[in-house]
Amino acid sequence: VVDDSDVSHLNILIAEDNVINQLIVQKLLEPWKCKVEFAENGIIAVEKVQKGNYDIIFMDVHMPEMDGYNATQKIRKELPEPLRSIPILAMTASVTQKGMQKCFESGMDDYIYKPFEPAVLKPKLIALTTHKKTSATVTSDPVSSPLTIETGTSAKQAVPETSSAKINLTYLKQVAGDNPAFIIQMIEMFLQNTPSALEEMEQKFKEQNWEDVRNIAHKIKSTYTYVGLSDIHKILANIEKKCQAKENLETVPGMIEEVETLSQAAFVELQKELQKLK
């Protein structure tokens, strides 16, 4: 009897520049025993595709050097068969109709929202690698959708809704299973990387470099959902949206200040949690 749910034979390329997101994806795939490789940006992803033998690519939409849209277009238009037909699953934290349409227009086959659930990821993985190209359409995916940016209203949360800086490690515990060392690793990485990212975002704002402010906000917002800080995620998503549109920029400094204030309180909570876990 063939086990249709067995994906252990798959070789997966994950194009993702955020090391915390890399760890999450790797942990989610670990029980399925897939072979996983990483590319830190679109340029590296295209190079790896040319040299490797991958069954599917998980493609982050926003990356430095070359984003996921352009990397996908290069694969689809410039590489020979069968490389140009490798299934590509977009990984995105942006939940808009326009954004999803852009994924498909660039040549991606389907998409999944961060932070995603194994129950949502695996069927997509199986469908894309079994049937190769699929006729995916823009549909709602509420189980794995952290919020709806376009309307500003909350969708069903993959990570429980929180208030202020009260952390919630439910999602990390679900991903970690019986492995507290993974939770410790994730918290330590969050505490190590996030303060410097916030400082950089503040500096880029002072320089009025809106594109860099947008990129930083996008890069770090999904990491906040992993520790249950969906309020901060929403503020960062709003910063990202305003910087991209270059509208109502006078409200951005207040939002950056709010993110920093809430983050400082969250850092204290996470330090306490680390002490408990250790």
Side-chain angles (χ1 to χ4, degrees):
V1 178
V2 177
D3 183 3
D4 292 336
S5 66
D6 180 18
V7 293
S8 61
H9 59 288
L10 295 179
N11 190 10
I12 303 174
L13 177 63
I14 299 169
E16 168 65 68
D17 64 309
N18 186 318
V19 67
I20 294 178
N21 287 337
Q22 288 181 2
L23 277 174
I24 286 286
V25 179
Q26 189 169 29
K27 188 65 181 177
L28 285 171
L29 293 173
E30 194 176 86
W32 305 340
K33 302 186 178 355
C34 309
K35 184 180 179 184
V36 174
E37 292 183 40
F38 290 98
E40 290 73 34
N41 60 54
I43 293 174
I44 296 173
V46 174
E47 289 174 352
K48 280 183 171 284
V49 169
Q50 289 173 297
K51 298 174 183 176
N53 181 27
Y54 303 103
D55 297 292
I56 188 170
I57 304 166
F58 291 2
M59 186 77 77
D60 186 34
V61 170
H62 295 286
M63 293 180 288
E65 308 298 332
M66 180 188 289
D67 65 23
Y69 302 121
N70 287 315
T72 298
Q73 287 178 337
K74 284 187 77 69
I75 291 168
R76 295 291 185 238
K77 294 178 180 179
E78 298 179 18
L79 299 191
E81 292 289 5
L83 301 181
R84 70 168 57 188
S85 295
I86 294 173
I88 298 177
L89 178 68
M91 300 187 298
T92 176
S94 299
V95 188
T96 66
Q97 188 84 0
K98 186 177 179 181
M100 295 307 98
Q101 194 60 47
K102 191 174 180 181
C103 288
F104 296 127
E105 287 172 356
S106 69
M108 297 172 181
D109 299 294
D110 203 348
Y111 62 89
I112 190 164
Y113 301 135
K114 303 174 187 175
F116 37 76
E117 301 281 339
V120 177
L121 176 60
K122 195 165 189 180
K124 289 179 181 285
L125 179 59
I126 293 169
L128 288 173
T129 53
T130 302
H131 308 296
K132 299 300 179 185
K133 298 284 268 188
T134 61
S135 56
T137 55
V138 179
T139 55
S140 61
D141 192 355
V143 176
S144 59
S145 169
L147 77 167
T148 304
I149 297 172
E150 209 163 40
T151 62
T153 57
S154 296
K156 183 178 178 182
Q157 302 290 312
V159 179
E161 188 73 32
T162 59
S163 59
S164 298
K166 293 296 183 184
I167 63 170
N168 188 320
L169 302 183
T170 301
Y171 181 78
L172 278 187
K173 289 174 181 176
Q174 287 174 349
V175 173
D178 296 324
N179 186 3
F182 174 76
I183 300 174
I184 291 171
Q185 182 184 17
M186 289 294 297
I187 293 174
E188 286 180 339
M189 194 165 290
F190 180 86
L191 291 173
Q192 178 182 340
N193 294 343
T194 309
S196 58
L198 293 177
E199 287 177 17
E200 185 182 5
M201 185 166 64
E202 174 71 24
Q203 181 58 40
K204 295 300 182 182
F205 166 75
K206 289 176 181 176
E207 298 169 5
Q208 296 195 355
N209 187 333
W210 306 117
E211 183 63 17
D212 280 357
V213 172
R214 182 187 76 84
N215 285 334
I216 294 167
H218 177 86
K219 182 175 180 177
I220 65 175
K221 69 181 181 182
S222 61
T223 63
Y224 278 93
T225 60
Y226 299 145
V227 290
L229 296 168
S230 58
D231 285 357
I232 301 178
H233 180 290
K234 290 177 183 177
I235 301 168
L236 288 166
N238 209 1
I239 292 172
E240 181 187 3
K241 187 177 182 180
K242 289 179 185 297
C243 289
Q244 184 170 18
K246 292 184 172 58
E247 295 176 354
N248 301 316
L249 293 173
E250 71 279 359
T251 64
V252 171
M255 289 190 289
I256 291 177
E257 184 177 351
E258 187 176 5
V259 167
E260 290 176 342
T261 301
L262 290 172
S263 294
Q264 291 302 323
F267 297 156
V268 172
E269 293 292 319
L270 287 167
Q271 289 285 7
K272 290 178 183 175
E273 194 65 33
L274 267 184
Q275 291 173 358
K276 292 178 189 175
L277 289 168
K278 291 180 175 180

